[in-house]
């Protein structure tokens, strides 16, 4: 939330990169708000229960926010590619209309995946009380608890999520392949380090999110502790670290944050 307020309050941060970062921060805020409160409640209470309706609501919002975040990370990689590989054409290739379309396209794809998978999940039958071996409700875990046929659900999830994940991760890989190629062709050491520093924050976030997300959804669901670790990684740890990663590695954000806090404390 602080990142969003700082970006909104400073006009020099109204650029495509920070526009994407603003939406990534909002997505992280929503992602955490969906699962963390219920997780904390369960940690503090003896009776750890959740209704089927609440569980499906968690799945609904996790799909939207996680799917949108995957697209936003892909879009941000493209933005870095344009900035480093085509700096003179950056204003033309990343116009206001273009980057607004990319952001709303990311949200639309996240919503589309949700509307494909979650309505099917609402038709599953749960015959008895079950134990979910996770801190939150996720679609692969619910399949194991259903007493109805879930083969259609599995096929639809595979056909919607795998292309989504592969296309976004492949676009990130291609963007960074071109970026690395361009950086290596820079003769000055200071120019190389500056170019690398502009990508390091985003690359760290990509590794944390995609690494744990792919391992969680591509490995067979068995309720192992490893699955829980991966879920906590992309559902709690990554949204918590993203603002720190982008603020501590970015001089403009740090300067804007200092000015904002300075104005705030002057009021008192």
């Amino acid at each position: 939330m602080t990142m969003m307020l700082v970006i909104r309050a400073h006009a020099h941060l109204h650029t495509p990169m920070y526009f994407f970062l603003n939406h990534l921060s909002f997505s992280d805020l929503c992602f955490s708000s969906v699962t963390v409160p219920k997780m904390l409640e369960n940690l503090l209470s003896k009776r750890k229960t959740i209704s089927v309706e609440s569980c499906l609501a968690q799945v609904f919002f996790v799909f939207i926010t996680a799917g949108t975040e995957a697209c936003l990370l892909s879009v941000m990689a493209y933005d870095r590619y344009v900035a480093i590989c085509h700096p003179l054409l950056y204003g033309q290739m990343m116009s206001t209309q273009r980057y607004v379309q990319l952001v709303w396209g990311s949200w639309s794809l996240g919503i589309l995946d949700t509307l494909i998978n979650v309505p099917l999940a609402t038709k599953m039958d749960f015959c008895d009380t079950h134990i979910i071996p996770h801190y939150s409700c996720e679609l692969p875990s619910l399949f194991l608890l259903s007493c109805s046929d879930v083969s259609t659900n599995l096929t639809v999830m595979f056909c919607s999520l795998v292309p989504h994940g592969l296309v976004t991760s492949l676009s990130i890989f291609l963007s960074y392949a071109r970026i690395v190629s361009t950086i290596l062709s820079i003769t000055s050491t200071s120019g190389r380090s500056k170019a690398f520093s502009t990508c390091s924050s985003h690359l760290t976030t990509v590794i944390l999110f995609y690494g744990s997300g792919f391992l969680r959804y591509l490995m067979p669901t068995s309720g192992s502790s490893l699955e829980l670790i991966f879920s906590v990684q992309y559902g709690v740890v990554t949204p918590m670290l993203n603002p720190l990663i982008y603020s501590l590695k970015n001089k403009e954000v740090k300067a804007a944050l200092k000015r904002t806090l300075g104005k705030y404390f002057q009021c008192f």
Side-chain angles (χ1 to χ4, degrees), residues 197-258:
S197 66
T198 61
C199 300
S200 58
S201 300
H202 180 257
L203 198 55
T204 303
T205 301
V206 167
I207 293 170
L208 288 173
F209 181 80
Y210 272 91
S212 55
F214 269 128
L215 289 171
R216 169 66 185 96
Y217 276 87
L218 293 182
M219 67 186 299
T221 302
S222 60
S224 66
S225 58
L226 199 59
E227 289 178 28
L228 182 59
I229 292 171
F230 291 144
S231 295
V232 173
Q233 171 66 53
Y234 78 81
V236 179
V237 177
T238 301
M240 179 184 68
L241 291 180
N242 278 351
L244 295 175
I245 292 169
Y246 280 101
S247 60
L248 295 177
K249 296 284 290 182
N250 193 306
K251 293 180 181 179
E252 289 182 324
V253 173
K254 286 194 287 186
L257 186 59
K258 286 179 182 178

Side-chain angles (χ1 to χ4, degrees), residues 183-205:
I183 290 175
L184 293 177
S185 65
I186 299 174
T187 54
S188 65
T189 308
S190 60
R192 284 186 182 182
S193 61
K194 184 178 181 181
F196 271 121
S197 66
T198 61
C199 300
S200 58
S201 300
H202 180 257
L203 198 55
T204 303
T205 301

